[in-house]
């Protein structure tokens, strides 16, 4: 399966992700099941549910709902890759968790995601379903690309450790 871990809310671009999956289905491209994991909010959440049903994608896309935090590592590690299509974040913890899992990540190109992911993830415009469909198709057709991205995420995520963060924080404080 492909994993999209995030609340179901308007700025997370789930509708665009659904459209991208629909585009690939129309092109007769075999896509693993997409698991959308996270709380479903208000009218947008209902629209996402209706969109999945209306596009007859209920077998291809599953809205799992919230999953306990302790169970998330297993979901990340067993995914073929991760999608993170958020339009707005302060600190993209989901992106960091995705990279820490060692999975390839297709990620929104909106800041600050590129600041955190650097060259370790593949970026797309979260409002452009066609672009995401092309990125998905590339990954699905090239397992070497997935392996390359997984290696990059594993190397890059080592830059984010509690020890390094604490050291930089103390260094900054002591130099004030």
């Amino acid at each position: 399966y492909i994993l999209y871990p995030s609340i179901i809310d308007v700025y997370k671009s789930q509708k665009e992700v659904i459209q991208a999956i629909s585009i690939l289905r129309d092109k007769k491209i075999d896509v693993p099941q997409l698991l959308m994991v996270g709380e479903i909010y208000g009218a947008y959440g209902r629209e996402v549910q209706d969109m999945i049903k209306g596009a007859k994608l209920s077998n291809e896309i599953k809205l799992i709902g919230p999953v306990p935090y302790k169970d998330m590592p297993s979901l990340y590690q067993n995914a073929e890759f991760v999608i993170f299509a958020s339009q707005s974040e302060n600190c993209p913890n989901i992106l960091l968790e995705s990279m820490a899992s060692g999975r390839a990540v297709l990620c929104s190109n909106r800041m600050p995601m590129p600041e955190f992911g650097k060259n370790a993830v593949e970026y797309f415009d979260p409002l452009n379903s066609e672009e995401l469909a092309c990125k998905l198709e590339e990954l699905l057709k090239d397992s070497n690309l997935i392996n390359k991205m997984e290696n990059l995420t594993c190397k890059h995520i080592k830059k984010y450790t509690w020890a390094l963060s604490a050291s930089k924080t103390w260094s900054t404080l002591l130099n004030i």
Side-chain angles (χ1 to χ4, degrees):
Y1 59 86
I2 301 167
L3 180 65
Y4 186 172
S6 189
I7 61 171
I8 312 298
D9 204 349
V10 67
Y11 72 100
K12 299 294 190 164
S13 304
Q14 280 94 355
K15 287 183 179 181
E16 289 78 6
V17 173
I18 294 165
Q19 289 171 340
I21 299 295
S22 184
I23 290 167
L24 294 178
R25 184 193 60 192
D26 292 347
K27 291 174 72 175
K28 308 283 190 251
I29 295 172
D30 191 29
V31 179
Q33 190 173 60
L34 174 65
L35 301 183
M36 290 186 169
V37 175
E39 182 128 5
I40 301 168
Y41 284 99
Y44 183 80
R46 289 187 296 280
E47 290 170 16
V48 166
Q49 291 171 320
D50 292 343
M51 187 176 184
I52 292 168
K53 288 177 191 167
K56 295 181 174 51
L57 288 169
S58 295
N59 291 328
E60 290 89 349
I61 301 173
K62 299 292 183 189
L63 295 175
I64 303 300
V67 169
Y69 187 74
K70 68 178 179 57
D71 296 333
M72 287 303 297
S74 177
L75 281 174
Y76 281 115
Q77 291 165 354
N78 290 298
E80 291 192 37
F81 54 88
V82 179
I83 296 174
F84 186 55
S86 181
Q87 298 172 44
S88 174
E89 297 292 323
N90 291 317
C91 178
N93 289 320
I94 291 171
L95 172 57
L96 295 171
E97 291 169 358
S98 300
M99 291 190 307
S101 74
R103 298 292 98 199
V105 182
L106 290 177
C107 185
S108 165
N109 65 2
R110 301 289 172 90
M111 288 304 278
M113 277 59 87
E115 180 182 341
F116 284 85
K118 301 283 188 214
N119 70 337
V121 302
E122 189 69 32
Y123 298 99
F124 64 93
D125 179 346
L127 298 177
N128 186 333
S129 299
E130 291 280 343
E131 183 179 346
L132 175 55
C134 287
K135 299 285 183 175
L136 283 164
E137 186 175 354
E138 285 176 32
L139 278 184
L140 293 169
K141 289 184 175 182
D142 188 352
S143 61
N144 290 328
L145 178 57
I146 291 176
N147 291 335
K148 177 183 173 192
M149 290 175 65
E150 289 173 347
N151 288 331
L152 286 171
T153 61
C154 287
K155 287 178 186 172
H156 182 67
I157 199 65
K158 290 178 183 174
K159 296 176 183 177
Y160 298 100
T161 67
W162 284 113
L164 183 58
S165 179
S167 173
K168 285 183 177 182
T169 301
W170 281 111
S171 176
T172 300
L173 291 173
L174 293 172
N175 287 323
I176 291 179

